Amino acid sequence: MVRKIFSLGGLGLFFLSLILFNFVGSGEAQEAKSFKTLKIGTISPISGPLGVIGLTWGRGFNLCADWLNEQGGIKVGADKYKIQFIHEDSKASPEAAAAAANKLVHQDKVKFVIGDVLNPCSEAIYSVTNPAGVLHVLLYTMDPYREDQWGLGPDNPLLVLHMPTITLSYDSFFKYLNKTYPNVKKLVYGVANYPFTRMIKEAIDTAEANGFKVLGGETLDYGWTDFYPFMTALLKNKPDGIFIIHGGGPDLVAVEIKAARELGFKGPIISFGSASPLLIPTTVGAQNSYDIICNQAFAGAPEATKMMKEVKKRWDAKFPKEVFIDDALMAWDEVWVLAQGIEKANSLDPEVVLKALENMNKPGSLNTTFGPGSMGGLKTLGVNRMLVRPFPVTVVQKGKISMVKWVTPELP
Amino acid sequence: MFGIPIESLVQSLINGIALGWIYILIAMGLSLIFGIMRILQFAHGEVYMLGAYTIYFFSVTHGFSFFTAMLISLVMGLVLGLILERFFFRPLGGELLTTIMVALGLMIILQASVTVGFGVTPKSIPSFAPQPAEILGIMLGRDRLIAVGVSIGMILLLYLFLKKTKYGQALTASAQHPEASLLMGIDPTQMSVIAMAIGSALAAISGGLMGAIFPINPFMGGTALMKGLIIIILGGMGSLLGVVVGGMILGLIDGIAPVLAGPAAAAISPLFIVAIILVVRPQGLFGHE
């Protein structure tokens, strides 16, 4: 009798589970029906000497996609799309970047590719994406004015940059340096050994226009760990201040500053690119973290925007063991701006999306983690395809990081 | 010289000497383990990396002073060496291929464990002596000078241990004549235990010293192992003097070559010198036939 009851009960449970499974299954099917998937390819240096940059950018992309998906996805007509990333490693090599682009475009059939931080890699990606009608979103540009490099312009359709070039921040920083440190007159610069020719020239010209004398500069190579020889060579000029145009990576800039301080340099140090303010006091030490100025944001500062704090909160929740690197904010914007372009275009056609982005050129027509932005560059580059948004003047003083002012550059 | 001020050259020279002494610590441990156990401990770089992370964990996360954390790192190295010898290498009986496989496996496991525990982003141990030191008008990093002092102290202690103590002499004998030392009643297993423990402790200390100078990451052991091997090949297997000379050559190259000839030359010149040594004197500068 007891056995019979158990077997009947078992049968009942079996049917109940079938009903529940059917119910849950239909719910999933319902959700799958209401959301479509938008596959986006990303190519960045996940391995090699720039691995920290690639990993951080990848995390920023994912955090933004999670957020957008939670908000209901990207709306195109009656459809809602959830973002699904396919991340590929460029290994900081154009050959690997081209191979990754080929895979994304021809095998994964993506319509949008985001990448890379190095111009030669981006050029290799573009050689694959453009003929296939895929929109290529750049992560960085080494020569925004195209004096001797490939890049944004009317001759390169289907190419857009969702971050402002660091050259736009030069003038504000040299003015800040002039005002805050009136005794600083002689400067030297450090820059990664890559084709930054125009960016270096622009920095020197802007410094000199602000009354500084630039005594010289030194290059550093990606993959270096010891910056004593580099700093020794820089400091032989007896400068009052140092500016680092591109320090090779957020972790490396901090080591370069550490070397300068340990070698007795007491003047102000400006970092225009690739510094992560949070890494500076932890690497350089609180005692030596003074008079350091950089154009990267610090999402942990009280002056941070609501969205910057949101990104950091999500990072801290998802990667509790990893220090927040502010490159994640720019990575977030790459995706967010693209999503806004797609919604504005109300289409997934890369050409229509690019057109919509180009038309978002009124101040405040785009949202970014740094504040209101827009696309600019028509007069300067021949196309409205570079994101212009505010950037902070971030100062590290006695180990404390603060964003002392916000500057919104102009890119006609 | 080459349009570079003499002050910069001297600074680079002293920087190279400082790096050289830390490299010597790494290579000394590797050489000791090879000399006694006849194994190439490919996971030696990971012990070095663990030494750095131990210091990071205790000094940055838990607020211990750098030198207390370094002491803990030293003990960790000793204990890890004992564990590695007893549970990973002793059961293999010195069999070449399996030993290499186990060492490579350990390398991957230790890297992965640290990645899981601490993440992949490089971490920094704040300088224990952040103020510069001025010697004859030349500015130098004080922590590098202290690192030199600690390294020389450790090597002197090792030298005294090897020359003045019963166990040290047994260790030397075992390295020089394994069969003869066995006939004299020296227990090879006991020697392996001592060599692995001391070698691992030296690696852990050098990792900590290097961690106070450069950022640390779970994969830093690869470079350290490479430097250790270059030094041993340069100096000659099993020669302590060879390790010191080899380490100094490598340190000087790392310190001066980037200033004189750029980073590419600095990266390839040690390998170039190793290639020449292997052709001209395969046993290394101070090694025996």
Side-chain angles (χ1 to χ4, degrees):
Chain A
M1 183 65 185
V2 174
R3 233 171 119 177
K4 203 174 172 183
I5 290 169
F6 267 104
S7 42
L8 277 173
L11 205 64
L13 277 175
F14 174 71
F15 280 114
L16 187 67
S17 61
L18 270 183
I19 294 163
L20 278 173
F21 179 76
N22 193 38
F23 182 74
V24 172
S26 68
E28 279 173 359
Q30 200 75 29
E31 199 190 349
K33 263 184 203 167
S34 61
F35 282 101
K36 291 184 173 178
T37 302
L38 173 63
K39 286 194 282 185
I40 299 176
T42 79
I43 305 171
S44 56
I46 299 167
S47 60
L50 298 177
V52 173
I53 299 177
L55 280 169
T56 307
W57 282 79
R59 285 175 182 157
F61 298 148
N62 288 339
L63 290 175
C64 183
D66 290 349
W67 177 75
L68 284 168
N69 292 344
E70 283 168 25
Q71 306 282 314
I74 302 175
K75 293 168 198 69
V76 180
D79 297 321
K80 286 178 187 168
Y81 287 85
K82 283 199 169 180
I83 296 173
Q84 184 197 328
F85 278 119
I86 304 168
H87 298 298
E88 296 292 337
D89 185 2
S90 71
K91 298 169 188 164
S93 134
E95 291 78 16
N102 263 312
K103 187 217 165 235
L104 289 170
V105 169
H106 299 297
Q107 191 179 315
D108 302 316
K109 309 281 182 204
V110 300
K111 288 181 176 175
F112 304 96
V113 171
I114 302 174
D116 186 276
V117 290
L118 299 176
N119 258 29
C121 293
S122 296
E123 191 172 358
I125 294 168
Y126 187 73
S127 69
V128 177
T129 54
N130 187 45
V134 170
L135 180 60
H136 179 185
V137 182
L138 286 166
L139 289 186
Y140 192 75
T141 185
M142 290 172 162
D143 182 0
Y145 308 109
R146 305 282 308 277
E147 286 215 335
D148 50 13
Q149 285 194 48
W150 166 91
L152 286 174
D155 54 329
N156 283 329
L158 289 174
L159 189 66
V160 66
L161 175 63
H162 290 176
M163 67 176 291
T165 166
I166 60 168
T167 54
L168 297 178
S169 65
Y170 287 160
D171 193 52
S172 314
F173 276 75
F174 286 120
K175 281 194 166 54
Y176 178 83
L177 188 68
N178 221 342
K179 193 178 158 197
T180 320
Y181 304 93
N183 294 330
V184 171
K185 298 287 175 210
K186 294 176 290 173
L187 302 177
V188 289
Y189 68 88
V191 62
N193 189 10
Y194 230 74
F196 288 115
T197 326
R198 174 63 199 253
M199 284 163 96
I200 297 169
K201 184 180 178 298
E202 182 117 348
I204 294 170
D205 290 349
T206 315
E208 289 179 345
N210 279 284
F212 295 105
K213 185 173 169 54
V214 180
L215 303 172
E218 291 291 332
T219 55
L220 60 101
D221 269 18
Y222 291 112
W224 274 12
T225 48
D226 190 2
F227 289 93
Y228 262 40
F230 167 72
M231 272 301 159
T232 301
L234 265 185
L235 297 178
K236 74 183 180 207
N237 298 297
K238 309 263 182 230
D240 304 323
I242 298 174
F243 60 95
I244 299 166
I245 298 168
H246 191 292
D251 49 335
L252 299 185
V253 173
V255 187
E256 289 151 28
I257 296 170
K258 182 177 187 248
R261 290 287 184 246
E262 285 177 358
L263 289 172
F265 181 70
K266 290 187 165 58
I269 302 172
I270 297 180
S271 168
F272 283 115
S274 71
S276 187
L278 193 57
L279 290 180
I280 293 170
T282 55
T283 304
V284 182
Q287 207 180 342
N288 279 340
S289 296
Y290 58 87
D291 297 333
I292 299 161
I293 308 151
C294 56
N295 64 354
Q296 298 279 85
F298 173 49
E303 307 86 12
T305 65
K306 200 176 148 197
M307 276 314 287
M308 286 165 67
K309 287 176 181 164
E310 175 71 24
V311 180
K312 187 172 185 304
K313 192 180 89 186
R314 284 171 175 267
W315 173 293
D316 290 342
K318 199 161 182 176
F319 311 109
K321 285 170 184 152
E322 302 283 15
V323 180
F324 180 76
I325 297 179
D326 297 86
D327 282 28
L329 299 169
M330 292 183 285
W332 177 291
D333 280 347
E334 295 276 345
V335 183
W336 195 14
V337 169
L338 179 63
Q340 291 171 66
I342 292 172
E343 287 201 338
K344 181 82 175 174
N346 205 21
S347 166
L348 289 178
D349 182 328
E351 284 189 17
V352 180
V353 173
L354 182 62
K355 189 58 75 188
L357 281 168
E358 283 181 313
N359 289 331
M360 297 169 93
N361 54 0
K362 304 274 179 300
S365 51
L366 280 163
N367 290 313
T368 78
T369 52
F370 298 83
S374 60
M375 298 306 283
L378 186 61
K379 203 171 158 191
T380 317
L381 309 166
V383 282
N384 255 337
R385 293 200 220 135
M386 188 190 289
L387 175 71
V388 184
R389 46 94 174 142
F391 58 82
V393 176
T394 304
V395 175
V396 186
Q397 206 63 269
K398 291 180 185 166
K400 196 172 164 281
I401 310 162
S402 50
M403 293 189 285
V404 295
K405 65 187 227 181
W406 285 90
V407 182
T408 303
E410 282 183 11
L411 181 66
Chain B
M1 193 182 190
F2 299 98
I4 296 161
I6 192 76
E7 187 183 300
S8 301
L9 272 180
V10 175
Q11 201 171 50
S12 309
L13 189 82
I14 298 173
N15 181 38
I17 291 170
L19 292 176
W21 278 107
I22 305 177
Y23 295 159
I24 289 166
L25 271 189
I26 306 166
M28 199 69 92
L30 201 59
S31 177
L32 200 63
I33 293 167
F34 178 80
I36 302 296
M37 298 175 72
R38 304 281 160 198
I39 60 165
L40 261 180
Q41 215 302 55
F42 282 107
H44 194 68
E46 275 53 50
V47 180
Y48 159 91
M49 176 267 291
L50 279 177
Y53 271 91
T54 305
I55 293 187
Y56 172 80
F57 180 74
F58 284 101
S59 68
V60 177
T61 315
H62 288 88
F64 285 66
S65 77
F66 179 84
F67 289 101
T68 312
M70 197 160 81
L71 205 63
I72 298 171
S73 177
L74 176 91
V75 175
M76 182 284 298
L78 274 170
V79 174
L80 183 64
L82 294 175
I83 294 170
L84 291 180
E85 193 282 330
R86 178 65 190 88
F87 297 106
F88 290 88
F89 293 111
R90 197 189 301 175
L92 304 177
E95 214 277 310
L96 183 70
L97 271 180
T98 44
T99 306
I100 291 175
M101 290 308 291
V102 165
L104 290 174
L106 273 171
M107 203 168 101
I108 295 165
I109 291 167
L110 294 174
Q111 280 178 3
S113 308
V114 172
T115 303
V116 170
F118 293 91
V120 286
T121 314
K123 304 269 187 286
S124 292
I125 302 168
S127 288
F128 48 85
Q131 293 308 311
E134 192 175 342
I135 299 172
L136 302 171
I138 293 163
M139 304 306 280
L140 292 163
R142 199 180 289 264
D143 53 0
R144 295 193 186 208
L145 294 178
I146 294 175
V148 171
V150 172
S151 299
I152 293 175
M154 295 297 295
I155 289 158
L156 274 177
L157 278 177
L158 180 68
Y159 179 80
L160 289 174
F161 171 76
L162 291 175
K163 295 289 174 196
K164 303 285 177 192
T165 69
K166 196 176 84 177
Y167 284 108
Q169 286 166 350
L171 210 58
T172 313
S174 191
Q176 287 172 350
H177 300 286
E179 290 83 11
S181 63
L182 192 64
L183 291 172
M184 297 301 290
I186 296 171
D187 179 4
T189 306
Q190 198 178 38
M191 294 303 107
S192 296
V193 171
I194 296 171
M196 189 60 115
I198 294 176
S200 300
L202 290 176
I205 285 289
S206 54
L209 291 173
M210 212 56 125
I213 297 172
F214 304 125
I216 62 174
N217 67 71
F219 312 103
M220 64 193 275
T223 317
L225 178 72
M226 181 61 85
K227 296 215 183 278
L229 289 174
I230 289 175
I231 290 169
I232 292 175
I233 295 169
L234 274 176
M237 287 280 187
S239 163
L240 291 187
L241 180 62
V243 169
V244 173
V245 174
M248 221 23 84
I249 292 173
L250 191 62
L252 288 174
I253 290 172
D254 279 3
I256 298 173
V259 176
L260 278 184
I268 59 163
S269 36
L271 300 171
F272 186 66
I273 293 173
V274 162
I276 293 173
I277 292 284
L278 284 174
V279 172
V280 178
R281 198 176 156 80
Q283 70 273 32
L285 294 173
F286 296 89
H288 303 288
E289 288 283 357

